[in-house]
């Protein structure tokens, strides 16, 4: 009998003991809310901006997709960033962002996973970036959170190792709360990819409970909501 | 069962803790801030109680069919490409992890904060095998530099001031002394970033394991758990069998309550979901992923109808912050991986007789039960463990003073059955003790009663006669302390 089967046998024997308070699990029904409708979008965006600010995120507003490249360049200049790592968009095309940054004479880290003898691994090149740009798969208004799915073209390190991180999300992917966001994402990305829910910059309170940002991950986290016609 | 990292000596260590005024100040400061944040966080979330109930029901269900969920979890993790190892005890878990590290020819191992790896004493085993082990959670890094054990589940360096840490970093990292938290944190970031990028193996704990998808959820604020599970080529996750939950949709109920109670946040900065090693085209993520599922006494807890509830614990650490005992003596006095109220329950079952004293380290005030996000009735379980321990251990294990106090209580209980005698003796005691009374309290008492006040405890001063309305018959009573009637002699309720 394998160790696993032995464990299962022990657990089964243990479960035969009577328990006083066990009740069948009644999973709370998901309070399914429809994708943010136009009328609700502004309300959710406002709640998101408030919560994102509360966790020391910096919300740069709602902008039309075609204005995002200029906003990215503006942010890079403000931060005096020289090396920028740009992931692939989820719903948005990020090529214009890359071109705009390159046109501004900034170095853009290519998301090229092919091994080259001279180049260090991609994860090390991402770690050298001053700023990274990614698109979130979903955002959560009640907590000011992003759900970012790591893919080959948009690795998980992008939201982890650069000093600052700009996350762009489409306003119609903004959900009221955690339960609705998880339901909307569905199980597939969780099984196939690395998913991170991110709520503000990296932080610690390990020294006398005083909050310090940027202990391991990005020190600054920026957000732009994308919506046509803005 | 291994004695693990726990050992006896609680009474001695707690005396040292109580006598350390500086430690008490640090603990009061840190736990007080935490409780303020938690109160504010609960107040602004009206659904908090309903989410607690939902989370509790999910835990009851999950633990109630743990066999089925463990099979589902293992199958799905393996289908996702992870290697799963089931360890019956700490030794098996250690041996497996050491083998994985050796097979990977790893020189450097980075660790995210994990109480389960503390429980199995992983670091010394890896170091004996020739690997350098670096704790990367800032608090864990600090206590590792000091050669100490964490003194809190969530805030490992809660017992240290910023000045203590400033001196430590000046000594160990060679930076100029500063007590500025930002500068200290920055120094640790720079040092640890280099280590992350050169680490061969990452080890973390697990907060939740979702059976339905074979996904591990790691919850943290710093990002060191993400780095440990993303950058090294080999990733090892260590989890207790109780971490499994049925479905992905169950998770939101736990996320809504865990940070609100553990740190006073709405949600921690990072919730990381990991289901398997990296794909062929991925630029990061581990090439090999191992999941160690640890029993180490948990199935024995499952078999005990009262103790089973302790397996619902989310390790939020709130019961430590609210506990009057922990706040006075700190985590090191417990001499166990898991200090505080939940540690007093878990430790005797994980580490055996070495931690048998810990269930007695509680006033049973119930604050831990009230703050617990999944409503674990900790005082009830502590009483159960006391009863269990009492049934097999002679009271002679306790120091003479404790035995004397206990005998005094027994004598009082006998006397309380005779209200008239008690009233008479109370009057007499009030007269005798009057010279010792100050500001309505007795801080020193003579004779046998001195055992009560010997360790800094006070007692409300006794009054020979209580104030009565005109015409009412006066009756002696024990003043103020018994106003709620809970401990009043039965004769007074007439």
């Amino acid at each position: 009998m394998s160790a696993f089967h032995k464990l299962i046998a022990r657990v089964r024997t243990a479960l035969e003991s009577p328990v006083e308070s066990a009740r069948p699990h009644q999973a709370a029904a998901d309070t399914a809310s429809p994708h943010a409708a136009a009328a609700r979008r502004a309300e959710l965006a406002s709640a998101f901006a408030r919560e994102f600010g509360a966790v020391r995120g910096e919300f740069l507003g709602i902008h039309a997709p075609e204005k995002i490249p200029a906003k990215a360049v503006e942010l890079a200049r403000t931060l005096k960033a020289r090396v920028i790592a740009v992931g692939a968009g989820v719903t948005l095309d990020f090529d214009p962002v890359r071109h705009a940054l390159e046109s501004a004479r900034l170095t853009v880290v290519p998301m090229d996973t092919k091994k080259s003898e001279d180049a260090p691994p991609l994860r090390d090149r991402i770690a050298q970036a001053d700023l990274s740009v990614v698109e979130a798969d979903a955002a959560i208004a009640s907590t000011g959170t992003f759900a970012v799915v790591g893919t080959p073209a948009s690795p998980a390190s992008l939201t982890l190792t650069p000093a600052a991180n700009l996350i762009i999300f489409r306003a119609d992917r903004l959900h009221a709360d955690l339960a609705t966001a998880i339901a909307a994402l569905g199980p597939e990305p969780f099984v196939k990819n690395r998913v991170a829910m991110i709520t503000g910059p990296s932080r610690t309170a390990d020294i006398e409970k005083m909050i310090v940002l940027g202990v391991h991950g990005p020190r600054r986290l920026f957000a732009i909501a994308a919506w046509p016609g803005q | 069962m291994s004695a693990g990292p726990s050992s006896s000596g609680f009474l001695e260590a707690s005396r040292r803790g109580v006598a350390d005024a500086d430690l008490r100040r640090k603990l009061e400061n840190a736990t007080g801030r935490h409780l303020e944040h938690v109160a504010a966080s609960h107040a602004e979330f009206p659904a908090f109680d309903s989410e607690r109930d939902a989370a509790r029901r999910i835990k009851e269900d999950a633990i109630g069919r743990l066999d089925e969920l463990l099979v589902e979890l293992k199958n799905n993790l393996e289908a996702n490409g992870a290697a799963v190892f089931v360890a019956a005890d700490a030794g098996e878990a250690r041996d497996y992890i050491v083998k994985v590290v050796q097979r990977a020819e790893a020189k450097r191992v980075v660790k995210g904060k994990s109480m389960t790896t503390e429980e199995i004493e992983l670091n010394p085993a890896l170091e004996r095998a020739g690997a350098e082990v670096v704790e990367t959670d800032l608090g864990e890094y600090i206590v590792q530099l000091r050669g100490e054990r964490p003194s809190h589940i969530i805030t490992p360096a809660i017992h240290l001031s910023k000045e203590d840490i400033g001196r430590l970093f000046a000594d160990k990292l060679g930076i100029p002394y500063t007590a500025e938290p930002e500068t200290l944190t920055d120094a640790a970031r720079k040092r640890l970033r280099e280590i992350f990028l050169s680490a061969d193996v990452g080890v973390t704990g697990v907060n939740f394991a979702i059976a339905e998808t074979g996904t591990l959820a790691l919850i943290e604020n710093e990002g060191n758990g993400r780095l440990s599970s993303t950058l090294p080529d080999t990733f090892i996750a260590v989890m207790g069998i109780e971490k499994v939950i049925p479905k992905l949709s169950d998770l939101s109920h736990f996320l809504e309550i865990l940070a609100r109670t553990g740190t006073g946040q709405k949600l921690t900065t990072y919730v990381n979901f990991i289901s398997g090693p990296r794909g062929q085209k991925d630029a990061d993520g581990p090439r090999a992923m191992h999941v160690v599922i640890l029993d180490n006494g948990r199935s024995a807890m499952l078999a005990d109808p009262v103790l089973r509830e302790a397996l619902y614990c989310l390790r939020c650490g709130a019961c430590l912050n609210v506990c009057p005992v922990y706040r006075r003596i700190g985590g090191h006095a417990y001499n166990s991986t898991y200090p505080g109220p939940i540690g007093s329950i878990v430790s005797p079952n994980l580490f055996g007789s070495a931690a048998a004293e810990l269930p007695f380290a509680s006033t049973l005030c119930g604050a831990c039960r009230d703050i617990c996000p999944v409503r674990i009735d900790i005082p009830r379980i502590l009483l159960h463990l006391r009863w269990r321990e009492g049934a097999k251990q002679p009271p002679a294990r306790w120091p003479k003073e404790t035995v004397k106090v206990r005998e005094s209580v027994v004598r009082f209980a006998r006397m309380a059955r005779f209200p008239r005698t008690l009233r008479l003796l109370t009057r007499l005691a009030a007269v005798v003790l009057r010279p010792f009374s100050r500001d309505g309290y007795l801080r020193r008492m003579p004779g046998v009663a001195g055992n009560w006040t010997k360790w800094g405890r006070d007692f409300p001063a006794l009054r020979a006669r209580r104030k009565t309305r005109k015409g009412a018959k006066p009756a002696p009573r024990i003043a103020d302390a018994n106003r709620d009637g809970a401990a009043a002699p039965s004769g007074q309720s007439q």
Side-chain angles (χ1 to χ4, degrees):
Chain A
M1 192 185 274
S2 73
F4 183 66
H5 288 104
K6 282 180 189 165
L7 170 70
I8 295 303
R10 282 200 299 279
V11 166
R12 280 192 181 136
T13 309
L15 287 171
E16 282 165 11
S17 311
V19 180
E20 292 150 32
S21 58
R23 281 168 286 174
H25 166 215
Q26 301 159 348
D30 291 335
T31 52
S33 70
H35 279 247
R40 185 147 163 69
R41 197 176 306 128
E43 188 189 334
L44 285 177
S46 166
F48 176 86
R50 188 178 60 244
E51 296 302 329
F52 190 61
V55 293
R56 314 255 191 111
E58 297 169 64
F59 186 56
L60 304 180
I62 304 175
H63 299 284
E66 57 272 20
K67 289 183 184 168
I68 287 173
K71 287 285 165 193
V73 171
E74 190 184 321
L75 177 64
R77 285 192 173 136
T78 307
L79 296 174
K80 295 180 181 167
R82 293 185 175 190
V83 181
I84 294 109
V86 183
V90 179
T91 62
L92 303 167
D93 180 7
F94 271 16
D95 282 342
V97 175
R98 274 185 212 97
H99 296 149
L101 291 165
E102 282 167 346
S103 302
R105 296 185 178 178
L106 298 165
T107 305
V108 176
V109 178
M111 292 298 111
D112 181 8
T113 55
K114 284 177 191 168
K115 281 186 181 175
S116 155
E117 284 182 9
D118 302 335
L122 178 57
R123 60 155 222 196
D124 290 5
R125 282 178 278 149
I126 291 172
Q128 296 304 316
D130 305 307
L131 173 68
S132 62
V133 184
V134 298
E135 183 181 353
D137 287 63
I140 300 162
S142 65
T143 50
T145 302
F146 297 109
V148 183
V149 179
T151 62
S154 197
S157 309
L158 282 172
T159 54
L160 189 54
T161 51
N165 184 203
L166 167 63
I167 301 184
I168 296 158
F169 66 99
R170 252 176 55 152
D172 61 348
R173 290 194 169 214
L174 178 56
H175 302 277
D177 53 36
L178 273 162
T180 13
I182 290 174
L185 285 167
E188 197 178 321
F190 292 92
V191 176
K192 291 188 175 172
N193 307 90
R194 296 170 76 80
V195 180
M197 288 191 174
I198 301 170
T199 310
S202 154
R203 70 190 55 216
T204 184
D206 273 345
I207 303 178
E208 290 199 4
K209 288 274 175 192
M210 290 182 219
I211 292 173
V212 179
L213 301 183
V215 56
H216 288 294
R219 287 192 179 94
R220 296 182 75 180
L221 181 62
F222 301 89
I224 292 177
W227 192 247
Q230 295 297 312
Chain B
M1 189 181 296
S2 153
S6 182
S7 65
S8 57
F10 172 76
L11 286 169
E12 293 307 318
S14 62
R15 272 178 200 148
R16 282 197 300 274
V18 167
D20 187 343
D22 190 41
L23 174 68
R24 271 215 311 281
R25 182 188 58 75
K26 291 170 194 166
L27 289 170
E28 287 291 335
N29 181 25
T31 56
R33 281 190 200 190
H34 165 264
L35 293 173
E36 280 171 22
H37 293 153
V38 168
S41 177
H42 289 184
E44 67 177 11
F45 186 55
F48 184 73
D49 279 337
S50 62
E51 290 291 1
R52 282 173 93 184
D53 292 337
R56 164 93 187 187
R57 283 197 297 272
I58 293 164
K59 271 289 180 186
E60 285 175 353
D61 171 49
I63 298 296
R65 55 189 181 98
L66 196 53
D67 50 346
E68 175 191 322
L69 292 178
L70 283 170
V71 172
E72 189 181 353
L73 175 71
K74 182 174 183 282
N75 290 343
N76 285 329
L77 276 167
E78 286 174 344
N80 297 338
V84 179
F85 178 75
V86 173
D89 56 34
E92 282 188 20
R94 277 195 307 265
D95 291 347
Y96 178 80
I97 295 167
V98 166
K99 274 180 198 159
V100 170
V101 169
Q102 285 174 332
R103 253 200 323 265
E105 296 178 1
K107 290 178 182 157
R108 183 171 267 177
V109 177
V110 285
K111 282 184 66 209
K113 192 160 79 60
S114 158
M115 298 312 289
T116 315
T117 58
E118 293 280 344
E119 175 189 326
I120 62 172
E121 295 188 289
L122 182 60
N123 291 10
L126 289 174
E127 282 161 359
R128 280 195 298 275
E132 179 198 8
V133 185
V134 184
E135 294 286 352
T136 59
D137 171 86
L138 179 61
E140 289 269 2
Y141 182 57
I142 291 166
V143 294
Q144 188 186 34
L145 286 177
R146 282 174 63 96
E148 286 179 340
R149 173 185 288 175
S151 68
H152 191 285
I153 293 172
I154 300 297
T155 320
I158 197 170
H159 57 293
L160 300 174
S161 67
K162 54 185 189 295
E163 290 80 13
D164 296 332
I165 297 163
R167 284 189 287 273
L168 177 75
F169 277 22
D171 179 32
K172 302 281 185 182
L173 303 187
I175 63 166
Y177 170 79
T178 174
E180 187 60 46
E182 282 84 2
T183 313
L184 294 168
T185 304
D186 197 45
R189 176 191 169 104
K190 282 181 186 143
R191 183 64 58 97
L192 290 169
R193 178 58 69 90
E194 290 166 16
I195 291 170
F196 272 123
L197 288 168
S198 60
D200 308 296
V201 174
V203 181
T204 73
V206 173
N207 293 93
F208 300 97
I210 301 156
E212 174 189 45
T213 53
T215 302
L216 309 179
L218 274 62
I219 294 171
E220 53 154 347
N221 277 311
E222 295 189 0
N224 64 308
R226 280 192 80 194
L227 286 162
S228 299
S229 59
T230 303
L231 297 186
D233 272 347
T234 302
F235 169 53
I236 305 169
V238 187
M239 59 171 276
I241 57 172
E242 79 282 13
K243 299 288 184 186
V244 65
I245 59 171
K247 293 183 294 175
L248 185 63
S249 60
D250 292 331
L251 188 67
S252 65
H253 301 292
F254 293 102
L255 296 181
E256 293 284 16
I257 58 171
L258 182 53
R260 283 187 165 92
T261 308
T263 55
Q265 296 169 278
K266 287 184 179 175
L267 191 61
T268 51
T269 303
Y270 300 110
V271 182
N272 310 304
F273 297 89
I274 306 158
S275 298
R278 70 160 83 169
Q280 282 187 338
K281 291 180 182 172
D282 284 326
D284 55 19
R287 292 177 202 281
M289 174 171 158
H290 299 259
V291 182
V292 178
I293 301 177
L294 179 70
D295 182 347
N296 201 31
R298 288 166 174 80
S299 58
M301 291 171 71
L302 185 68
D304 185 315
V306 178
L307 266 177
R308 182 180 292 188
E309 194 182 357
L311 296 174
Y312 304 163
C313 176
L314 308 182
R315 303 281 191 268
C316 71
C319 61
L320 280 67
N321 295 334
V322 82
C323 174
V325 176
Y326 178 88
R327 294 177 72 169
R328 274 153 192 80
I329 63 174
H332 287 154
Y334 291 81
N335 216 359
S336 169
T337 303
Y338 301 104
I342 192 66
S344 299
I345 291 171
V346 170
S347 302
N349 293 285
L350 301 187
F351 310 126
S353 60
E357 290 170 329
L358 296 186
F360 298 87
S362 169
T363 62
L364 302 176
C365 68
C368 48
R369 177 188 51 215
D370 296 343
I371 204 165
C372 176
V374 284
R375 303 185 193 278
I376 298 173
D377 193 345
I378 294 174
R380 174 173 173 251
I381 303 173
L382 287 168
L383 283 171
H384 172 70
L385 290 172
R386 287 180 187 189
W387 173 82
R388 204 176 72 174
E389 182 61 17
K392 61 184 179 188
Q393 294 288 351
R397 290 177 70 246
W398 294 95
K400 280 180 186 172
E401 297 87 354
T402 313
V403 174
K404 281 182 187 171
V405 170
R406 199 172 168 171
E407 285 168 359
S408 302
V409 172
V410 171
R411 278 198 291 274
F412 177 81
R414 280 193 200 128
M415 194 172 62
R417 285 184 295 180
F418 307 99
R420 284 189 177 183
T421 311
L422 182 65
R423 274 199 291 271
L424 188 68
L425 288 172
T426 305
R427 280 185 201 174
L428 189 64
V431 173
V432 171
L433 294 173
R434 192 172 294 152
F436 297 92
S437 164
R438 190 175 297 169
D439 305 327
Y441 284 91
L442 296 161
R443 293 191 171 82
R444 191 166 59 85
M445 289 196 275
V448 163
N451 286 322
W452 180 265
T453 50
K454 200 171 183 176
W455 304 109
R457 285 177 294 208
D458 56 22
F459 196 82
L462 304 178
R463 280 207 305 259
R465 290 172 186 277
R466 72 172 167 188
K467 290 174 187 172
T468 56
R469 287 181 202 154
K470 249 183 182 178
K473 192 178 175 182
R477 54 169 289 181
I478 296 172
D480 305 333
N482 297 335
R483 200 167 273 167
D484 62 0
S490 54
Q492 286 194 298
S493 61
Q494 290 173 1

